[in-house]
Amino acid sequence: MDIATHVFSALYQFGDAFAFLVLSACGLAVIFGMMGVINLAHGEFIMCGAYVTAATVHAGLPLPLGILAGTLVSALVGVVVELAVIRHLYDRPLDTIVATWGLSLIATQGTLIMVGSTMAGVGTPFGSFQVGDYSYSIYRIVLFCAALGVLAALYALFNWTRFGVLARATIQVPHMAAALGVDTRLVYSLTFACGAGLAGLAGGLYAPTMTLVPTMGATFIMEAFVTVVIGGADVFLGTAPAGGVLAVVKSVMTSWQGQLFGQIGLLVAVIIVVRVLPKGISGFVLRERT
Amino acid sequence: MLDQPRKEVILSTLGLRAGYGGKPVLQGLEIEVREGEIVAVIGRNGVGKSTLMKSLIGLVPAMSGSIVYRGEAVELLPAHKRARLGMGYVPQGRDVFPRLTVGENVAVGAAIKGGGIPEAGRRKIVEAFPILEERWHQRAGTMSGGQQQQLAIGRVLIADPNLILLDEPSEGIQPNIVQEIARNMVELNRRTGVTIILVEQNLDMIRAMAQRCYVMDKGRIVANLDRAALDDAAEMRRHLAV
Amino acid sequence: MSKSVLRGLRAAALTGTLVLGSPLGSHLALAAENPIKLGVLEDQSGDFAAATIGKVHAIQLAAEEINKAGGIMGRPLELVAYDTQSDNTRYQEFMRRVLQRDKVDVVFAGFSSASREAYRPIVDQFNGFAFYNNQYEGGVCDGHMIVTGAVPEQQFSTLIPYMMEKYGKNVYTLAADYNFGQISAEWVRKIVKENGGKMAGEEFIPLGVSQFSQSIQNIQKAKPDFVVTLLVGTAQASYYEQAASANVNLPMASSVNVGQGYEHKRFKPPSLKDMFVTTNYIEEIDSPKSKEFYAKFKAKFPSEPYVNQEAENSYLAVYLYKQMVERAKSTKREEIRKVIALGDVCMDAPEGKVCIDPKSQHMSHTIYLAKVGADHSISFPKVWEDIKPYWLGEAGCDLTKKDPMAQYTPSNPPPKP
Ligand SMILES: Nc1ncnc2c1ncn2[C@@H]1O[C@H](COP(=O)(O)OP(=O)(O)OP(=O)(O)O)[C@@H](O)[C@H]1O
Ligand SMILES: [Mg+2]
């Protein structure tokens, strides 16, 4: 097998791991980074996106529209959850953790009772392609592009739009933003909805590739939290580089020794980073800057 | 405008009590400010001057009493709604958004007007504070205290407020910049008739700006000094060091 | 699945007990008697629920039939069901509860081998009596346990030689990383070697992993003739979809898929194309007994997504228990084991004839080779009748003489006497 094949396969595996880490983590990172809320129901927003995507595709919608529907429904559920629960607990971070954990239990059990223990999959589109001896799924490339797209879109949203500037102002000095006329509650609602929508998007994107069960969110959670812990509170300075670093660790370890070592690699990376950079990569970058 | 004798009351409080954690700092405070006035508020450290300002803008809720702004009771409105009614707040310590650029800080102030930064408004504030133009794309957190103070004022001016609450703008700032700020604010007041409530300890700044002065002690107004008293050095020293 | 049934179950789990509805008259007559209590600890929620809710329903169906026909020795059968939530610690908690507080006569419990090994010491400690109605990696030699599920010598010594003959001798194993997967993989390794084949590779996947791109590439690199998939839980089941979309296109062999998680029904064709599974029951089996069972099941649980091998194991286990109690004229474990020792505890189950082996207290089975087609239809290229759970007995486990209450593997067999 020639060098190019090896290089491509390494890049593909890196991209695949990167996409999963970043897409899993984005919604969590937005909500944690922007609002300081640790959303333990993150996995269930992912599950919600996946279920809605699958349901709408079964109902006849094309997959991209199904994914859009999954994203929007999750975002909408996010608005409701923020209004009903999170809003009342902003100054009680520990209670938020407990409340969102409770929500996640309710969501998994509720889905089990209402939709059943499993839902039919939708099938992965696009087929495969061959490079050297290996064949690859085209859809995994789509997922990688989607991860880059999400990062770019978030960058644009938070840097180039009025909402983005107001949201960043609100996280930095909330009372001052309010005193300047920013409806900070609305900003928090929309930010939470954005995070929930991103989780739904991850669910929708991965729905064609996975078993759809009420507990599916749990399979994203470890990667999501590891990425956010390593990245720190900032999506661009944190989540994106953390996704890159962890994707290298994971794909190298997994190809060397298998999946178990891939996971061990992630956890070791967390331990090292937490020791060396307690505020994550973004905390380190920001301290260096100011 | 300024030479019309009696102006409308723009802001008044009655029996205002406000504080932190159920403990009032303001104990039935009453003030009355007319349109176009520049009124200073002085008092020892910790008497509640900043609390008064926060209470007026809505960051510290009123426990009882009323705040009437341009004929409307606002004591129950959240801060962002008061800002939208034309109150501009420049806090003690400036509170710029450190990781936003100067331009973005100004954009937050402009957002109430529903849109980007209007070019005329931008020109107005960079003419008053040229440093903002120079540092437009720099993060606010990297600027000096004086520069941040100018930004905090510019950020409020961009929304054309009717009333500006200025809390110790001179604190920790070089004298020449203090003078520049004072000159700019007076100039603005002359030109647009904007009302200013100025909390200050710096006598020079008070004299440069204010037309009269409330003296605060233990959460109450204990004196209302006219311009002549402001110029009386002995009297002022007595009040500031009560 | 039926919502109302599940709600009923959930309520039952909360209150602790559930007497199955039977026609009022006989119910009243039976209720006068002291009921026989059967504890049901199965996962009705969590990662394994898809494969195990049918087990609970099967037990309910059998209990209802038995109660309608007059109960066991005239005593009604009462189910005490708890949802173990796919959580091993729940098994321990509820096993203590059914044995100590509810004082059940027998417990039907467990899906994953991890859960079984979590509760088995408690059954031993409190001198309980438990049925494990699930296929597994084999080797449990414990007088407190009866195993009605199939074991590796029944599933692999049929499946692997068939696959090697048909597709080639290079075998790759992809297995769940816990006792079931590890020990099953050991069996595969042993049988492949005995048949002159070679392991092209092995990878163990932690439970809960759902992303397989790298594993897929590892398999392509090793170029096996077929892949043995011993993946467990819904997360790991994502492998098939991902392998299909990467066009791995290798035949697959398994002892757990289709017959347990009905992946051929849940996934879009053709992701399970050319999957070969040895199972002792699935709903597609086309015999009169099977059809009758399936019809009864569907009549009671119309929205049951699939009737899998564990459902059949659970169903027949209730009848086997009835037979043993009636022959022993007692619910005491010692008395029942005397009946088992006779070696003729057999019945005509939906799959065909099954008997309990006195040495290991495991069960003989009819083993069906199920092949999944490109459209996910099932065909049965081969059927092996009366396959005995021989390994434990041959290796030296004999519960009629000695009860070591242990689990053995080919590399860790019972000590020689
Ligand atoms: N966030 C807060 N929580 C609790 N107490 C506070 C808070 N902020 C101020 N205080 C207390 O309220 C009282 C009034 O404080 P305030 O800041 O209004 O005083 P000040 O007159 O502005 O003083 P300075 O001249 O130092 O700025 C002080 O006793 C202070 O300790
Ligand atoms: Mg103050």
mmCIF file with all atom_site columns, all heavy atoms in Angstrom, chain B residues 49-51 92 167-168 199, ligand 2:
data_model
loop_
_atom_site.group_PDB
_atom_site.id
_atom_site.type_symbol
_atom_site.label_atom_id
_atom_site.label_alt_id
_atom_site.label_comp_id
_atom_site.label_asym_id
_atom_site.label_entity_id
_atom_site.label_seq_id
_atom_site.pdbx_PDB_ins_code
_atom_site.Cartn_x
_atom_site.Cartn_y
_atom_site.Cartn_z
_atom_site.occupancy
_atom_site.B_iso_or_equiv
_atom_site.pdbx_formal_charge
_atom_site.auth_seq_id
_atom_site.auth_comp_id
_atom_site.auth_asym_id
_atom_site.auth_atom_id
_atom_site.pdbx_PDB_model_num
ATOM   1  N  N   . LYS B 1 49  ? -23.846 56.188 47.286 1.00 0.00 ? 49  LYS B N   1
ATOM   2  C  CA  . LYS B 1 49  ? -23.967 56.965 46.045 1.00 0.00 ? 49  LYS B CA  1
ATOM   3  C  C   . LYS B 1 49  ? -24.123 56.015 44.845 1.00 0.00 ? 49  LYS B C   1
ATOM   4  O  O   . LYS B 1 49  ? -25.003 56.197 44.003 1.00 0.00 ? 49  LYS B O   1
ATOM   5  C  CB  . LYS B 1 49  ? -22.729 57.851 45.851 1.00 0.00 ? 49  LYS B CB  1
ATOM   6  C  CG  . LYS B 1 49  ? -22.444 58.764 47.039 1.00 0.00 ? 49  LYS B CG  1
ATOM   7  C  CD  . LYS B 1 49  ? -21.236 59.654 46.795 1.00 0.00 ? 49  LYS B CD  1
ATOM   8  C  CE  . LYS B 1 49  ? -19.921 58.914 46.649 1.00 0.00 ? 49  LYS B CE  1
ATOM   9  N  NZ  . LYS B 1 49  ? -19.432 58.259 47.884 1.00 0.00 ? 49  LYS B NZ  1
ATOM   10 N  N   . SER B 1 50  ? -23.251 55.021 44.808 1.00 0.00 ? 50  SER B N   1
ATOM   11 C  CA  . SER B 1 50  ? -23.340 54.078 43.686 1.00 0.00 ? 50  SER B CA  1
ATOM   12 C  C   . SER B 1 50  ? -24.639 53.294 43.742 1.00 0.00 ? 50  SER B C   1
ATOM   13 O  O   . SER B 1 50  ? -25.244 52.978 42.717 1.00 0.00 ? 50  SER B O   1
ATOM   14 C  CB  . SER B 1 50  ? -22.158 53.117 43.712 1.00 0.00 ? 50  SER B CB  1
ATOM   15 O  OG  . SER B 1 50  ? -20.971 53.821 43.457 1.00 0.00 ? 50  SER B OG  1
ATOM   16 N  N   . THR B 1 51  ? -25.060 52.978 44.962 1.00 0.00 ? 51  THR B N   1
ATOM   17 C  CA  . THR B 1 51  ? -26.323 52.257 45.106 1.00 0.00 ? 51  THR B CA  1
ATOM   18 C  C   . THR B 1 51  ? -27.473 53.080 44.536 1.00 0.00 ? 51  THR B C   1
ATOM   19 O  O   . THR B 1 51  ? -28.370 52.544 43.884 1.00 0.00 ? 51  THR B O   1
ATOM   20 C  CB  . THR B 1 51  ? -26.568 51.936 46.587 1.00 0.00 ? 51  THR B CB  1
ATOM   21 O  OG1 . THR B 1 51  ? -25.424 51.241 47.100 1.00 0.00 ? 51  THR B OG1 1
ATOM   22 C  CG2 . THR B 1 51  ? -27.803 51.077 46.771 1.00 0.00 ? 51  THR B CG2 1
ATOM   23 N  N   . GLN B 1 92  ? -19.378 53.181 38.052 1.00 0.00 ? 92  GLN B N   1
ATOM   24 C  CA  . GLN B 1 92  ? -18.086 53.306 38.711 1.00 0.00 ? 92  GLN B CA  1
ATOM   25 C  C   . GLN B 1 92  ? -17.268 52.074 38.324 1.00 0.00 ? 92  GLN B C   1
ATOM   26 O  O   . GLN B 1 92  ? -17.763 50.957 38.326 1.00 0.00 ? 92  GLN B O   1
ATOM   27 C  CB  . GLN B 1 92  ? -18.313 53.315 40.222 1.00 0.00 ? 92  GLN B CB  1
ATOM   28 C  CG  . GLN B 1 92  ? -17.062 53.549 41.029 1.00 0.00 ? 92  GLN B CG  1
ATOM   29 C  CD  . GLN B 1 92  ? -17.386 53.730 42.516 1.00 0.00 ? 92  GLN B CD  1
ATOM   30 O  OE1 . GLN B 1 92  ? -18.484 53.424 42.973 1.00 0.00 ? 92  GLN B OE1 1
ATOM   31 N  NE2 . GLN B 1 92  ? -16.434 54.245 43.264 1.00 0.00 ? 92  GLN B NE2 1
ATOM   32 N  N   . ASP B 1 167 ? -21.037 57.743 37.301 1.00 0.00 ? 167 ASP B N   1
ATOM   33 C  CA  . ASP B 1 167 ? -20.589 57.370 38.644 1.00 0.00 ? 167 ASP B CA  1
ATOM   34 C  C   . ASP B 1 167 ? -19.069 57.430 38.738 1.00 0.00 ? 167 ASP B C   1
ATOM   35 O  O   . ASP B 1 167 ? -18.374 56.589 38.190 1.00 0.00 ? 167 ASP B O   1
ATOM   36 C  CB  . ASP B 1 167 ? -21.103 55.963 38.982 1.00 0.00 ? 167 ASP B CB  1
ATOM   37 C  CG  . ASP B 1 167 ? -21.010 55.663 40.483 1.00 0.00 ? 167 ASP B CG  1
ATOM   38 O  OD1 . ASP B 1 167 ? -20.386 56.471 41.213 1.00 0.00 ? 167 ASP B OD1 1
ATOM   39 O  OD2 . ASP B 1 167 ? -21.549 54.636 40.912 1.00 0.00 ? 167 ASP B OD2 1
ATOM   40 N  N   . GLU B 1 168 ? -18.583 58.442 39.427 1.00 0.00 ? 168 GLU B N   1
ATOM   41 C  CA  . GLU B 1 168 ? -17.152 58.650 39.641 1.00 0.00 ? 168 GLU B CA  1
ATOM   42 C  C   . GLU B 1 168 ? -16.299 58.464 38.389 1.00 0.00 ? 168 GLU B C   1
ATOM   43 O  O   . GLU B 1 168 ? -15.419 57.611 38.362 1.00 0.00 ? 168 GLU B O   1
ATOM   44 C  CB  . GLU B 1 168 ? -16.640 57.723 40.760 1.00 0.00 ? 168 GLU B CB  1
ATOM   45 C  CG  . GLU B 1 168 ? -17.402 57.978 42.050 1.00 0.00 ? 168 GLU B CG  1
ATOM   46 C  CD  . GLU B 1 168 ? -16.543 57.828 43.301 1.00 0.00 ? 168 GLU B CD  1
ATOM   47 O  OE1 . GLU B 1 168 ? -15.315 57.978 43.181 1.00 0.00 ? 168 GLU B OE1 1
ATOM   48 O  OE2 . GLU B 1 168 ? -17.121 57.599 44.370 1.00 0.00 ? 168 GLU B OE2 1
ATOM   49 N  N   . VAL B 1 199 ? -21.948 61.530 40.146 1.00 0.00 ? 199 VAL B N   1
ATOM   50 C  CA  . VAL B 1 199 ? -21.405 61.182 41.462 1.00 0.00 ? 199 VAL B CA  1
ATOM   51 C  C   . VAL B 1 199 ? -19.909 61.429 41.397 1.00 0.00 ? 199 VAL B C   1
ATOM   52 O  O   . VAL B 1 199 ? -19.244 60.932 40.497 1.00 0.00 ? 199 VAL B O   1
ATOM   53 C  CB  . VAL B 1 199 ? -21.698 59.704 41.803 1.00 0.00 ? 199 VAL B CB  1
ATOM   54 C  CG1 . VAL B 1 199 ? -20.889 59.279 43.024 1.00 0.00 ? 199 VAL B CG1 1
ATOM   55 C  CG2 . VAL B 1 199 ? -23.191 59.502 42.046 1.00 0.00 ? 199 VAL B CG2 1
HETATM 56 MG MG  . MG  D 2 .   ? -19.515 54.268 44.601 1.00 0.00 ? 2   MG  D MG  1
#
